[in-house]
């Protein structure tokens, strides 16, 4: 929006801000920066120690900090008084500048954890901190694309560290380079490091020298290092061919005179390597450690943490201790490896996982460093490379899918499309879908972990019903007991016909601004000739206008303040009048009181029609109209100016407001009319100041009515209403001063939020019918249009091992949030019979817990562990990397539980009494 605006007063120059002002400014800069973050932006590391000192400093006068604030302050606790921090000191993040590790510039320590050792700040936030505090050093890192689709963003805290070896000279050097750089850039830097002249550079070949073996000639200069699957700390061979005769020119595919030698890596035949091989090679491959763990039973071997790999260790231990997998991979599974599957990893993932499982079930107590598995994982899933912390559930999803593709027994799987139900019995359609799925997907993973759910879509226009039956590998359950939120918005009318009133509506938690506008429009019975303009107000000023209907409601926090203005739709040229209220504030000086104007109350808006010119009288009239509902009754009765109004306006005076939840003004009901039907309005003198484009302020309260010329690009004007004490007494400014928060937690709500959430409630939230998000519209075959259909899921077929993911983490670009909700999940007697939609199901669906992963701490940092029950011992153990210790069953449940592993209990009991089982979940309030 282009607007006529000026800041009449600037801040007090270089004066030091208060802690609260620093906190608010940093929060606002962070929110703005992160909402616009993109690939290539810079984020800065800042030591956690200094950051926590600043957090304590700016929150010393706070009684609480909300959990759903910006990421900058979301994990802060109540703190005591703290002094202002000294200059920024990042020295604890970096090696000594005089040490050998710093030969390539400033190097950060290899084992830093986000949230424990450092936090990441957008460049704009760092710049602001640096302007206040100074210090350093500045540790900038770039935002890169990541994930399988390369559409997610991550900060590359640890760029690739590569060891370059130049032959035949034998010199070595180490470099840091982003994995998003090209092979051409690596070639250029290698030549610069080794002082190779232009002629020598033409003869240079770059080899992937992983494991000191030539794997691939890197001759595609446009390919990124990420796409080339280069790994942290691996070797790169820089080979300079000094053969003047170009003896290697016979290979047409070679680059710069080098031939592509065959890989010297171990040959993988269709049978694969010998699975029973033991000895030094295997010990070296897995990095056998001398760290010991408790216990001597099989299955009690720990995994070394290779640097933020606890996410991987916890997931591996849960899979390794799944009985079906332990039995399968300790037998000869080689005949089932699908070497030709283009969706698989030519059997390498299955072979590596199988070998690791065998070693973890071998006798002894020696912990294993899973380096070989980590390297294979990084080559096939680059998103898990490096030493950053990752999500154990995302890794688990990749492993299950990857192992399935490597072990898919179906070698030729032509696609066969399943038909829509079209009124056929569900049992027939479900069996057809499952048969088609099994015809293409048949592996130990499918046998053990895959189930089937029923998906029902209903068109909101024609009521067309579409039923499909889809497979699932795990269930991701929401932790919120509801999928909606209440939002309170103050609604103002701009035509002077109603008092403002707070309106509370219910909207989808993951909804958009258009959902809020629609809900408010319905609640207020908005006429077709009117529309709502939504704005966020902060510190009595407009923070932003929420004009984009696709703005996510998640960007609006519970402690924000929203205002909706009802304005008339107009096809004429109009200006948006923004009215900011100011009043005099007393400041005590040396000998006398000084006065200054300070914003107060809720700013208002209205429209002014124009043809390129408006008058001071136009602005005065609109301002009086907007404020007229706030005139006190005695001011109305003492009116001395009668202003004619149109018949439409006269018919609206005193009429009940069109808002369903908005009260009619008693002041309007007491308005006097003269014999001609004219409305009597007191035009009390308002001191109005128009802010021009030149930053000059025009006093609209003095002189004659005069024209104000507008620029061709002006779409709004800013006017200050300066209130005297006398004027404040004439208006009921209570309606301007008490702006409600979007959502106010009461004592009951706070208590309720601390209560455990039943796992059954989470499941019911997952199965609950809800509309599709706008980005996932459904094409209705009957309407021939994209529709926002309602979707309902039902469980149809459950697997032997049911994996349940509790959705604790939420992401929005670089903003992160974790729910610490305590979920009350059953350890035994997890009864799911009543949740099965298949009416032909004749057996109880009863499950018991045997493993789970835990996550402690915040997003991007923290620590993963696993709780696992050894069935042979009937005893629970805590697997914390290399440390394994027994725990009591009552200690298994905690707010850290993240991924749950349940196995089916074979009871043999048939369902009776119309499908009700003996220990089913009745009301969601009790668990066994």
């Amino acid at each position: 929006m282009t607007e006529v605006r000026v800041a009449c007063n600037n801040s007090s120059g270089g004066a030091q801000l208060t802690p609260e002002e620093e906190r608010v400014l940093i929060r606002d800069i962070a929110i703005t920066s992160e909402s616009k973050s993109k690939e290539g932006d810079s984020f800065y590391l800042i030591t956690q120690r200094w950051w926590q000192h600043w957090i304590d400093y700016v929150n010393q006068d706070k009684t609480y900090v909300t959990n759903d604030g910006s990421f900058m302050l979301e994990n802060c606790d109540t703190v005591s008084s703290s002094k202002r921090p000294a200059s920024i000191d990042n020295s604890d993040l970096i090696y000594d500048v005089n040490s050998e590790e710093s030969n390539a510039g400033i190097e950060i320590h290899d084992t830093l954890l986000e949230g424990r050792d450092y936090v990441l700040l957008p460049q704009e936030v760092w710049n602001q901190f640096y302007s206040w505090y100074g210090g350093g050093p500045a540790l900038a890192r770039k935002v890169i694309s990541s994930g399988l689709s390369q559409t997610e963003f991550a900060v590359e805290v640890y760029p690739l560290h590569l060891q370059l070896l130049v032959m035949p000279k034998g010199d070595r050097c180490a470099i840091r380079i982003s994995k998003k750089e090209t092979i051409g850039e690596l070639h250029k830097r290698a030549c610069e490091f080794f002082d190779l002249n232009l002629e020598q550079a033409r003869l240079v070949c770059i080899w992937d020298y992983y494991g000191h073996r030539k794997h691939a000639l890197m001759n595609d200069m446009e390919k990124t290092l990420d796409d080339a699957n280069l790994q942290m700390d691996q070797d790169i061979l820089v080979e300079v061919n000094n053969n003047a005769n170009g003896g290697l020119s016979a290979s047409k595919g070679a680059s710069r005179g080098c031939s592509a030698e065959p890989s010297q890596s171990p040959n993988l035949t269709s049978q694969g390597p010998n699975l029973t091989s033991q000895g030094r090679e295997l010990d070296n491959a897995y990095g056998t450690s001398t760290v010991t763990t408790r216990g001597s039973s099989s299955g009690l071997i720990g995994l070394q943490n290779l640097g933020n790999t606890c996410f991987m260790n916890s997931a591996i231990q849960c899979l390794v201790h799944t009985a079906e997998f332990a039995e399968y991979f300790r037998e000869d599974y080689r005949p089932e490896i699908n070497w030709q599957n283009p969706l698989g990893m030519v059997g390498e993932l299955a072979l590596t996982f199988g070998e690791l499982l065998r070693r973890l079930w071998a006798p002894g107590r020696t912990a294993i460093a899973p380096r070989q598995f980590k390297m294979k994982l990084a080559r096939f899933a680059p998103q898990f490379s490096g030493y950053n912390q990752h999500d154990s559930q995302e890794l688990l999803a990749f492993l299950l899918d990857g192992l399935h593709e490597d072990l898919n027994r179906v070698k030729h799987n032509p696609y066969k499309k399943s038909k829509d139900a079209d009124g056929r019995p569900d049992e027939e359609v479900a069996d057809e879908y499952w048969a088609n799925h099994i015809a293409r997907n048949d592996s130990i993973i499918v046998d053990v972990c895959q189930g089937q759910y029923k998906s029902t879509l209903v068109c909101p226009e024609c009521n067309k019903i579409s039923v499909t039956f889809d497979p699932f590998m795990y269930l991701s359950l929401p932790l919120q007991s509801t999928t909606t939120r209440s939002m309170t918005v103050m609604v103002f009318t701009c035509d002077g016909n109603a008092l403002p009133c707070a309106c509370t509506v219910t909207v989808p938690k993951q909804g958009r601004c258009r959902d809020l506008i629609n809900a408010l429009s319905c609640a207020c019975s908005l006429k077709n000739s009117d529309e709502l303009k939504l704005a966020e107000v902060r510190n009595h000023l407009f923070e932003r206008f929420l004009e984009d209907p696709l703005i996510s409601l998640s960007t609006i926090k519970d402690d924000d303040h929203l205002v909706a203005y009802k304005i008339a739709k107009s096809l004429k040229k109009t200006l948006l009048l923004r009215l900011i209220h100011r009043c005099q504030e007393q400041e005590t000086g040396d000998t006398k009181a000084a006065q200054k104007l300070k914003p107060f109350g809720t700013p208002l808006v209205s429209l002014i029609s124009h043809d390129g010119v408006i008058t001071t009288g136009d602005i005065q009239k609109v301002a009086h109209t907007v404020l007229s509902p706030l005139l006190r009754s005695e001011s109305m009765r003492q009116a001395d100016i009668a202003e004619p109004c149109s018949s439409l306006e006269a018919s609206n005076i005193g009429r009940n407001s069109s808002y369903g939840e908005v009260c009619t003004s008693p002041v309007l009901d007491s308005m006097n009319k003269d014999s001609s039907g004219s409305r009597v309005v007191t035009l009390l003198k308002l001191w109005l100041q128009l802010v021009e484009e030149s930053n000059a302020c025009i006093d609209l309260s003095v002189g004659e009515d005069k024209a104000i010329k507008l620029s061709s690009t002006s779409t709004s004007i800013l006017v200050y209403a300066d209130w005297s004490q006398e004027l404040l007494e004439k208006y009921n400014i209570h309606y301007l001063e008490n702006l409600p928060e979007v959502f106010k937690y009461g004592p009951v709500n706070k208590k309720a939020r601390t209560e455990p959430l039943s796992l059954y409630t989470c499941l019911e939230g997952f199965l609950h019918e809800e509309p599709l998000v706008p980005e996932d519209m459904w094409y209705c075959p009957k309407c021939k249009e994209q529709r926002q259909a309602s979707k309902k899921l039902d469980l149809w077929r459950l697997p032997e091992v049911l994996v349940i993911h509790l959705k604790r983490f939420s992401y929005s670009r670089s903003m992160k949030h974790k729910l610490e909700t305590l979920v009350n999940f059953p350890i035994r007697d997890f009864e799911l019979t009543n949740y099965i939609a298949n009416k032909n199901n004749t057996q109880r669906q009863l499950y018991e817990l045997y493993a789970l992963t835990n996550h402690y701490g915040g997003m991007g940092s923290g620590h993963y562990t696993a709780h696992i029950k050894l069935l042979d011992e009937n005893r629970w153990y805590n697997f914390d990397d290399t440390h394994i210790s027994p725990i009591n069953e009552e200690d298994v449940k905690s707010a850290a539980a993240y991924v749950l592993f349940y196995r089916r209990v074979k009871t043999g009991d048939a369902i009776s009494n119309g499908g009700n089982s003996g220990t089913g979940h009745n009301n969601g309030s009790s668990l066994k």
Side-chain angles (χ1 to χ4, degrees):
M1 175 185 293
T2 304
E3 53 192 35
V4 182
R5 182 183 64 85
V6 68
C8 288
N9 293 315
N10 206 336
S11 60
S12 55
Q16 180 173 307
L17 300 180
T18 66
E20 173 64 9
E21 288 172 335
E22 283 195 18
R23 185 188 71 84
V24 171
L25 183 57
I26 289 297
R27 181 195 65 180
D28 294 348
I29 294 174
I31 292 174
T32 301
S33 301
E34 293 185 347
S35 66
K36 300 177 181 178
S37 62
K38 60 186 182 301
E39 187 172 8
D41 286 354
S42 292
F43 274 65
Y44 285 73
L45 280 74
I46 193 168
T47 175
Q48 177 71 30
R49 174 177 45 79
W50 189 94
W51 169 254
Q52 189 59 51
H53 190 168
W54 182 80
I55 288 294
D56 294 345
Y57 167 66
V58 298
N59 284 286
Q60 57 185 309
D61 297 325
K62 293 281 181 187
T63 56
Y64 69 93
V65 177
T66 57
N67 284 332
D68 55 358
S70 69
F71 93 105
M72 308 298 298
L73 303 173
E74 67 180 2
N75 292 321
C76 305
D77 298 319
T78 303
V79 294
S80 59
S81 179
S82 178
K83 294 182 179 179
R84 193 170 191 267
S87 60
I88 299 168
D89 181 8
N90 281 335
S91 60
D92 57 341
L93 301 182
I94 63 175
Y95 288 106
D96 185 345
V97 293
N98 297 319
S99 68
E100 294 182 0
E101 287 88 347
S102 63
N103 58 0
I106 297 178
E107 283 281 333
I108 64 174
H109 291 289
D110 291 334
T111 57
L112 299 180
L113 288 176
E114 183 183 0
R116 184 193 71 183
D117 303 307
Y118 67 89
V119 294
L120 288 168
L121 305 179
Q123 182 172 356
E124 294 81 358
V125 174
W126 165 264
N127 290 343
Q128 186 62 66
F129 272 131
Y130 188 79
S131 70
W132 288 339
Y133 294 95
L139 303 173
R141 295 295 186 268
K142 293 293 186 181
V143 175
I144 62 173
S145 58
S146 63
L148 291 174
S149 61
Q150 296 292 298
T151 57
E152 301 171 4
F153 294 135
V155 179
E156 190 178 28
V157 175
Y158 288 98
L160 281 175
H161 184 261
L162 301 177
Q163 298 288 340
L164 303 186
L165 171 65
V166 62
M167 294 298 289
K169 292 175 64 176
D171 293 343
R172 279 184 168 276
C173 78
I175 68 167
R176 285 278 186 190
I177 185 170
S178 171
K179 61 183 180 181
K180 293 300 179 181
E181 289 287 7
T182 62
I183 292 174
E185 179 64 21
L186 176 61
H187 182 277
K188 175 184 174 183
R189 293 197 193 180
C191 293
E192 291 173 351
F193 271 111
F194 296 120
D195 295 325
L196 301 178
N197 59 39
L198 184 61
E199 186 165 341
Q200 289 174 315
R202 294 195 185 100
L203 301 175
V204 166
C205 293
I206 301 289
W207 289 90
D208 179 349
Y209 204 49
Y210 177 80
H212 290 270
R213 296 187 180 94
K214 284 185 177 180
H215 286 275
L217 175 64
M218 300 167 63
N219 57 359
D220 185 348
M221 296 297 152
E222 301 301 319
K223 193 174 187 179
T224 67
L225 305 184
D226 192 15
D227 292 337
N229 280 332
L230 296 189
Q231 304 303 307
M232 187 70 72
D233 295 323
Q234 82 157 71
D235 292 286
I236 297 294
L237 178 62
V238 182
E239 194 172 52
V240 182
N241 177 25
N242 291 320
N243 185 352
N245 296 324
L248 299 175
S249 61
S251 176
K252 292 183 180 180
S255 171
R256 292 180 169 86
C258 292
S259 63
E261 295 182 7
S263 171
Q264 298 178 26
S265 58
N267 183 36
L268 287 176
T269 65
S270 59
Q271 283 74 35
N274 185 354
L275 292 177
T276 61
S277 61
Q278 301 289 334
R280 186 173 301 170
E281 273 194 29
L282 201 53
D283 288 337
N284 291 337
Y286 282 94
T288 301
S289 166
T290 58
V291 178
T292 59
T293 56
R294 296 183 183 181
S296 58
S297 301
S298 271
L300 290 177
I301 297 178
L303 289 168
Q304 275 196 15
N305 192 319
L306 306 178
N308 285 340
T309 56
C310 56
F311 77 96
M312 181 182 77
N313 293 349
S314 61
I316 288 175
Q317 292 286 16
C318 289
L319 290 180
V320 163
H321 288 85
T322 298
E324 291 84 352
F325 296 156
E327 179 182 357
Y328 178 84
F329 284 100
R330 282 188 287 179
E331 296 177 353
D332 186 6
Y333 59 90
R334 290 173 297 171
E336 293 201 339
I337 292 180
N338 192 331
W339 306 98
Q340 287 80 36
N341 187 357
L343 301 178
M345 292 133 212
V346 291
E348 290 193 46
L349 182 64
L351 290 170
T352 309
F353 177 80
E355 283 296 341
L356 181 56
L357 181 145
R358 286 173 176 235
R359 292 180 63 78
L360 288 173
W361 278 103
R365 300 179 299 175
T366 303
I368 295 171
R371 291 192 181 92
Q372 186 70 15
F373 182 85
K374 173 74 165 60
M375 291 176 182
K376 290 288 186 183
L377 178 67
R379 291 186 76 83
F380 290 114
Q383 66 269 32
F384 297 116
S385 61
Y387 298 105
N388 288 334
Q389 184 68 278
H390 295 282
D391 190 327
S392 68
Q393 186 273 332
E394 291 180 359
L395 171 69
L396 180 68
F398 170 79
L399 287 179
L400 289 174
D401 187 63
L403 290 172
H404 159 66
E405 297 296 352
D406 266 4
L407 298 169
N408 194 351
R409 305 175 185 113
V410 180
K411 303 303 189 287
H412 304 285
N413 47 6
Y415 176 71
K416 184 177 182 181
K417 185 177 180 180
S418 298
K419 303 175 184 176
D420 193 75
D422 286 333
R424 292 184 293 161
D426 282 349
E427 293 74 16
E428 175 187 336
V429 180
D431 288 345
E432 177 184 295
Y433 270 83
W434 189 252
N436 289 344
H437 175 67
I438 294 300
R440 292 171 53 85
N441 302 275
D442 183 17
S443 69
I444 181 64
I445 307 299
V446 174
D447 297 343
V448 175
C449 294
Q450 285 201 352
Q452 186 183 33
Y453 59 75
K454 174 185 176 182
S455 176
T456 305
L457 292 171
V458 180
C459 177
E461 299 296 328
C462 69
N463 294 321
K464 162 70 177 175
I465 299 176
S466 174
V467 177
T468 58
F469 293 84
D470 303 308
F472 67 85
M473 193 85 76
Y474 51 86
L475 300 178
S476 289
L477 305 188
L479 295 194
Q480 295 88 353
S481 57
T482 64
T483 58
T484 59
R485 66 184 287 200
S486 292
M487 300 185 75
T488 299
V489 180
M490 200 70 170
V491 180
F492 285 81
T493 61
C494 300
D495 56 6
N497 281 334
L499 280 172
C501 188
C503 186
T504 301
V505 295
T506 300
V507 294
K509 276 188 176 179
Q510 304 301 322
R512 308 281 184 174
C513 268
R514 62 186 174 195
D515 299 315
L516 178 56
I517 292 290
N518 290 338
L520 289 171
S521 300
C522 292
C524 298
S525 302
L526 191 71
K527 295 181 292 187
N528 291 334
S529 58
D530 293 334
E531 63 182 351
L532 292 179
K533 181 172 285 293
L534 195 64
E536 179 185 346
V537 172
R538 183 176 299 168
N539 297 327
H540 314 295
L541 302 172
F542 289 111
E543 176 69 16
R544 58 172 172 163
F545 284 95
L546 302 170
E547 296 179 304
D548 185 351
L550 296 182
I551 293 176
S552 173
L553 294 181
S554 63
T555 64
I556 302 172
K557 307 304 179 186
D558 285 344
D559 58 352
D560 287 340
H561 299 85
L562 295 186
V563 184
Y565 304 94
K566 188 184 86 166
I567 59 178
K569 296 178 182 177
S570 176
L571 300 178
K572 300 179 181 178
K573 286 186 177 181
T574 56
L575 278 178
L576 184 70
L577 167 66
R578 296 178 300 121
L579 191 66
I580 307 294
H581 310 287
R582 299 191 302 185
C583 64
Q584 292 178 339
E585 182 183 55
Q586 297 287 335
E587 287 190 344
T588 303
D590 294 333
T591 58
K592 60 180 180 179
Q595 293 183 339
K596 72 172 185 177
L597 291 171
K598 181 179 180 181
F600 84 99
T602 304
L604 302 176
V605 302
S606 189
L607 294 180
I608 302 180
S609 299
H610 72 94
D611 292 318
V613 177
I614 59 173
T615 66
T616 56
D618 294 334
I619 299 175
Q620 283 273 1
K621 181 177 179 180
V622 170
H624 279 86
T625 301
V626 172
L627 292 170
S628 62
L630 307 184
L631 272 172
R632 296 185 184 276
S633 299
E634 56 270 21
S635 300
M636 288 289 190
R637 288 192 292 270
Q638 295 170 5
D640 56 6
I641 298 179
E643 179 189 8
C645 62
S646 68
S647 58
L648 177 60
E649 289 176 317
S651 67
N652 286 332
I653 295 176
R655 190 181 67 182
N656 188 22
S657 168
S658 61
Y659 293 95
E661 295 184 44
V662 179
C663 301
T664 304
S665 168
V667 177
L668 296 179
D669 289 336
S670 65
M671 275 187 175
N672 297 318
K673 301 179 186 177
D674 60 20
S675 58
S676 65
S678 299
R679 181 174 58 182
V680 179
V681 179
T682 299
L683 294 182
L684 298 173
K685 192 170 185 178
L686 295 176
W687 294 93
L688 302 180
Q689 302 282 335
L690 171 65
V691 183
E692 288 191 306
E693 289 180 337
S694 62
N695 292 355
C697 292
I698 299 177
D699 191 344
L700 304 180
S701 58
V702 296
E704 298 179 353
D705 189 17
K706 57 183 177 182
I708 300 172
K709 190 173 182 180
L710 303 171
S711 70
S712 58
T713 59
S714 297
T715 59
S716 72
I717 58 174
L718 174 62
V719 173
Y720 287 124
D722 296 336
W723 294 71
S724 65
Q725 186 60 39
E726 179 186 4
L727 201 59
L728 290 173
E729 294 173 358
K730 301 291 185 181
Y731 285 85
N732 192 345
I733 62 170
H734 165 81
Y735 293 100
L736 295 178
E737 291 185 313
N738 295 280
L739 194 58
E741 294 181 352
V742 168
F743 183 77
K744 184 76 173 179
Y745 282 105
V748 176
N749 298 79
K750 288 182 178 179
K751 181 179 179 181
R753 287 190 295 167
T754 65
E755 295 179 355
L757 186 64
S758 163
L759 184 61
Y760 289 106
T761 302
C762 298
L763 178 60
E764 288 159 6
F766 173 75
L767 300 176
H768 179 73
E769 181 176 356
E770 60 183 2
L772 297 174
V773 295
E775 295 82 4
D776 192 22
M777 302 282 273
W778 172 63
Y779 181 79
C780 176
K782 186 175 180 181
C783 296
K784 309 296 184 185
E785 295 282 349
Q786 296 287 336
R787 299 296 188 194
Q788 191 173 6
S790 63
K791 184 175 183 178
K792 173 74 171 71
L793 296 178
D794 292 289
L795 299 179
W796 189 265
R797 188 189 312 263
L798 293 180
E800 291 299 310
V801 169
L802 178 62
V803 181
I804 293 179
H805 164 224
L806 303 177
K807 297 175 69 173
R808 293 196 178 276
F809 301 137
S810 61
Y811 306 84
S812 177
R813 291 184 181 265
S814 55
M815 295 182 69
K816 312 164 185 176
H817 184 63
K818 179 187 176 184
L819 293 172
E820 300 284 357
T821 309
L822 174 62
V823 178
N824 189 7
F825 52 88
I827 295 178
R828 290 182 299 276
D829 298 335
F830 184 29
E831 178 66 77
L832 294 175
T833 306
N834 292 338
Y835 291 93
I836 301 300
N838 185 357
K839 302 307 179 185
N840 289 345
N841 174 50
T842 58
Q843 295 296 319
R844 284 184 64 188
Q845 303 294 317
L846 193 65
Y847 286 81
E848 68 174 1
L849 188 74
Y850 71 92
L852 69 153
T853 64
N854 302 294
H855 181 269
Y856 303 91
M859 280 293 303
S861 58
H863 184 59
Y864 285 96
T865 67
H867 292 337
I868 295 171
K869 183 179 183 179
L870 289 192
L871 300 182
D872 293 343
E873 299 184 19
N874 194 30
R875 190 175 188 181
W876 283 91
Y877 286 87
N878 178 50
F879 285 70
D880 186 354
D881 292 331
T882 59
H883 183 72
I884 300 174
S885 57
I887 58 173
N888 296 322
E889 186 172 287
E890 55 266 27
D891 296 327
V892 169
K893 293 184 184 181
S894 76
Y898 185 39
V899 181
L900 310 175
F901 290 75
Y902 284 93
R903 69 171 69 255
R904 189 195 301 275
V905 177
K906 296 178 172 60
T907 63
D909 295 340
I911 300 174
S912 59
N913 299 326
N916 292 327
S917 58
T919 58
H921 174 66
N922 296 319
N923 55 18
S925 60
S926 63
L927 293 175
K928 297 204 173 185

